[in-house]
Amino acid sequence: MRMIRNSIINWLIKNSAISEENRELYEYAVYSAELLILPVIMAIVIGWLAGSIINGVLLIIPFMLLKKYSGGYHAKKLSICMIISTILLTAMIKLSMIKLSICDIKPLYM
């Protein structure tokens, strides 16, 4: 991830879009964008593999809001965070796809 971030920043500096003085600021901005986009991409991929992209996207939106405003567990490395998040997201998408008998309500007119 760091290599991708650095290549983006280097490309921006090379094309005179930003100055070298602001490198650290833009590194943080690209890192923040990664943290915003990665969960959505993960949810789409896991949802696709599980057979329901809609469940993945609908599940990740409240998760992202909750994570942003409530804090929670912070792993020391991004890779560990991604592994734990992937496992939890996969489990929750699968759980959301289970049809419970409680949800199978028959219409009154039958």
Side-chain angles (χ1 to χ4, degrees):
M1 298 302 279
R2 185 174 297 229
M3 289 177 20
I4 295 170
R5 192 176 323 125
N6 284 333
S7 63
I8 291 170
I9 299 301
N10 290 336
W11 180 78
L12 288 170
I13 291 171
K14 187 174 98 175
N15 290 309
S16 301
I18 62 172
S19 66
E20 181 68 42
E21 299 165 352
N22 294 329
R23 180 181 192 87
E24 189 175 321
L25 176 67
Y26 283 95
E27 282 179 356
Y28 180 74
V30 172
Y31 178 73
S32 296
E34 286 174 7
L35 293 179
L36 184 66
I37 294 170
L38 275 174
V40 175
I41 292 171
M42 281 177 37
I44 291 170
V45 169
I46 294 170
W48 176 68
L49 292 173
S52 180
I53 294 175
I54 294 171
N55 281 24
V57 172
L58 291 177
L59 185 73
I60 200 65
I61 292 170
F63 174 74
M64 289 174 62
L65 291 171
L66 185 64
K67 185 180 116 188
K68 181 172 179 83
Y69 295 110
S70 67
Y73 173 74
H74 295 282
K76 293 184 182 192
K77 293 183 180 180
L78 182 60
S79 58
I80 293 172
C81 177
M82 295 304 290
I83 291 169
I84 293 170
S85 296
T86 302
I87 292 169
L88 287 173
L89 188 58
T90 303
M92 292 302 108
I93 289 172
K94 284 294 200 179
L95 186 64
S96 71
M97 293 172 63
I98 295 174
K99 292 184 179 180
L100 300 174
S101 61
I102 297 169
C103 296
D104 294 335
I105 299 172
K106 299 190 189 292
L108 294 174
Y109 57 84
M110 287 187 97

